[in-house]
Amino acid sequence: MARIPENFVQDLLARTDLVELIDARVPLKKTGRNYSACCPFHQEKTPSFTVAPDKQFYYCFGCGASGNAVGFLMEYEHMNFPEAVKQLASRAGMEVPESRPETAADKQRKDRLQSLYDLLSRAERFYSQQLRQAPEKQKAVSYLKNRGLSGEIAKKFAIGFAPPGYDNLINGLSLTESALEQALTAGLLVRREDTGRVYDKFRDRIIFPIRDSRGRTIGFGGRVLGDGKPKYLNSPETPVFHKGQELYGLWEWRQSRDRSDRLYVVEGYMDVIALTQHGVPNVVATLGTATTEDHARKLFRQVNEVILCFDGDKAGVRAAWRALESLLPALDDGKQVRFLFLPDGEDPDTLVRAQGPEALRALTDQADTLSTYLFRHLSEGLDLNTVDGRARLARLALPYLDKPAGPVYRALLTEELARLTRLDKESLSQLKPAKPEPTPAAPTPRPQATQQSWGEEPPPAEWGDAIPPPEQDAFYPADDLPPMEDLGHSPRHTSSRRKGPLTMVERLVLVLLDYPQLIEAQPLPDGVEQLPIPHIDLLIQVAGLCRQNHRPAALLGALMALEQGETMARLLKASLKPPMEEAMATRLWQDALSQLEVARLEAALAEVEQAGIPDASHWQELHKALAEARQHARKPFH
């Protein structure tokens, strides 16, 4: 299959009305200059999904989903990239052209992955068939009936059976020599190291297919019938299955009509299936691994409230604490986590079968919130009526206060710790351990520039408030623009998930998003790529894209392909705010170019001087150029 030319995709985006496309699937409401709706990609009651018609771009302030028309169809309709492009082209009356053929490596990789998906799908059908036809099927059917499962729910989750024996799957799928190797890669077969013999991985087990977000079978879980070990066996890590990222039952829940704004996270396949059958469809399970940060982010993209269900024993408490540590970095404002510890001898399956879903919901209402569980767990064994106990709690809790993504949540945790320890927030802030300075990987030695060198540690000034952070809508008039004294940023803003003010380069990128024509009239100075400025490579990339894409939709489409994930997401979110006036944006751009030229010449001069005895004429030229650049940078622009 040939690749779709990039220029065609950009032209297609320019001809597509994103508002019309989305409104046909998710009714939109006009809100100022943009449109809004409840997000179609996660459950919410208050609209946080925004569509910007001028930029032909959407963004959800709740789950972070963002993109253009192609991205929306891929996510909403579960299409791949070519399918989404073809549907948009058909809608626009355009024919998708073909460019260069795929390379051999491209085709090989795609074919390998597709062959794995096809093989796993065939294996799913085989296991499902064995539940109906295998001679040993009765013990599997009896087990499922004893667990109270109906035929309808078994079909919904495609439950199957792997008969006893070592070559049922091999013979049932008539695997050739090359197919055997694929089956080994897919985790369906195992090879003994001593003899080299290949045999079925799943034997005499109930089989639970695991599906990804597009409904494709990517792996299996198997529950042993009898006394064999292990009780549960999962597919290994494969090119299509990564258990630390997948959630069992998520695809099935998304296909249901349930619109709950909470998801239960349980530990087993049977818990998911039993809860679904008994009226609690909003349930998923991790796949034999602890809850990870990837799990947490996937959960919060779907709902605002996550209920983690654990046994009340020591193992359950340990698992809950590991889950808390994974969830904290993904916990943004407006999100909620509860820890539900079940009574002794109960699991979600037995609870809902014996007492119904109301019992589970009643326990949920009494479950600890994350903050309650955090401080209760850390306070165990401490006497908070004593100074020593409160001091110990403060030391234990302080490292957790800055972990949540949401600034409001961080502030409320600090307030709660202040109440428990009887310390004020200022005292707690002073007690926080100092964050280590980021260590650059294998830095290239740079010459020390003279005077205001960028090779030195930059002062904490953030270029004034020339462009307000994304949380603000106010704009400064051009006459009130603060002087631009520094182009660096404070070390405290180096975190990839920081919520503070934009850095200088991020602000310049934001200016280009609204006024890409600036780069044509006033390009970046030569040599800026050598300057040690945070995100300078991003600015250079965006500047290059601005020359190729003058339309907002095309520019944003190209930007989304950059490997600058969180930085771009932050800027694209900020770009949904009303743009600043063009005169002010031009002033900011011109001032920045002046400062960049000064920094470039300072670095060049330092390099010449550090090299030893400089060429006198070249040294004088650099000094003269630097003096002129500094003088020019101090002049007001008209």
Side-chain angles (χ1 to χ4, degrees), residues 285-423:
T286 54
L287 299 167
T289 184
T291 306
T292 66
E293 189 173 335
D294 286 332
H295 286 146
R297 296 192 184 283
K298 180 171 286 192
L299 287 164
F300 284 134
R301 282 198 296 270
Q302 313 300 322
V303 294
N304 287 320
E305 184 180 18
V306 174
I307 314 296
L308 297 164
C309 300
F310 298 99
D311 295 336
D313 56 14
K314 290 183 179 179
V317 171
R318 287 195 300 271
W321 186 251
R322 289 196 300 270
L324 180 145
E325 292 183 312
S326 297
L327 284 161
L328 270 177
L331 190 58
D332 212 336
D333 297 334
K335 306 296 182 180
Q336 186 176 13
V337 179
R338 287 183 178 272
F339 290 82
L340 174 57
F341 293 96
L342 297 169
D344 288 343
E346 293 280 15
D347 58 36
D349 178 6
T350 60
L351 182 70
V352 296
R353 281 199 291 158
Q355 303 179 42
E358 296 78 14
L360 181 68
R361 296 187 181 105
L363 286 174
T364 301
D365 293 338
Q366 302 169 17
D368 286 342
T369 62
L370 184 143
S371 58
T372 300
Y373 180 63
L374 171 69
F375 292 119
R376 181 166 63 80
H377 182 85
L378 295 176
S379 300
E380 287 181 2
L382 302 179
D383 185 356
L384 299 187
N385 292 317
T386 67
V387 171
D388 291 350
R390 295 195 298 273
R392 177 66 176 161
L393 174 61
R395 288 297 182 188
L396 290 173
L398 281 171
Y400 294 94
L401 298 187
D402 288 333
K403 289 188 176 182
V408 174
Y409 203 94
R410 293 197 299 269
L412 291 176
L413 282 183
T414 302
E415 284 189 4
E416 180 62 12
L417 181 59
R419 184 186 69 80
L420 291 171
T421 59
R422 304 178 196 175
L423 290 169

Side-chain angles (χ1 to χ4, degrees), residues 209-341:
I210 301 165
R211 293 161 170 161
D212 64 9
S213 58
R214 293 171 57 181
R216 299 175 298 191
T217 300
I218 55 176
F220 297 94
R223 202 275 186 197
V224 72
L225 291 171
D227 300 324
K229 298 291 182 180
K231 183 177 180 181
Y232 281 95
L233 182 66
N234 289 323
S235 292
E237 294 281 311
T238 72
V240 297
F241 177 57
H242 308 285
K243 62 184 179 180
Q245 300 174 6
E246 302 297 339
L247 292 163
Y248 180 74
L250 182 61
W251 184 81
E252 287 79 3
W253 171 66
R254 289 178 62 175
Q255 302 312 301
S256 73
R257 296 184 178 181
D258 180 72
R259 291 296 177 264
S260 302
D261 198 26
R262 66 166 47 156
L263 270 176
Y264 288 90
V265 181
V266 295
E267 295 185 278
Y269 303 104
M270 290 301 299
D271 289 327
V272 172
I273 297 168
L275 286 176
T276 301
Q277 179 172 316
H278 289 86
V280 186
N282 50 321
V283 57
V284 298
T286 54
L287 299 167
T289 184
T291 306
T292 66
E293 189 173 335
D294 286 332
H295 286 146
R297 296 192 184 283
K298 180 171 286 192
L299 287 164
F300 284 134
R301 282 198 296 270
Q302 313 300 322
V303 294
N304 287 320
E305 184 180 18
V306 174
I307 314 296
L308 297 164
C309 300
F310 298 99
D311 295 336
D313 56 14
K314 290 183 179 179
V317 171
R318 287 195 300 271
W321 186 251
R322 289 196 300 270
L324 180 145
E325 292 183 312
S326 297
L327 284 161
L328 270 177
L331 190 58
D332 212 336
D333 297 334
K335 306 296 182 180
Q336 186 176 13
V337 179
R338 287 183 178 272
F339 290 82
L340 174 57
F341 293 96

Side-chain angles (χ1 to χ4, degrees), residues 22-29 36-38:
I22 295 179
D23 189 54
R25 294 160 175 80
V26 182
L28 298 173
K29 182 180 179 181
S36 65
C38 287

Side-chain angles (χ1 to χ4, degrees), residues 181-194:
E181 292 300 322
Q182 290 180 333
L184 285 164
T185 303
L188 295 170
L189 304 179
V190 178
R191 173 178 280 140
R192 287 191 57 142
E193 292 185 4
D194 53 351

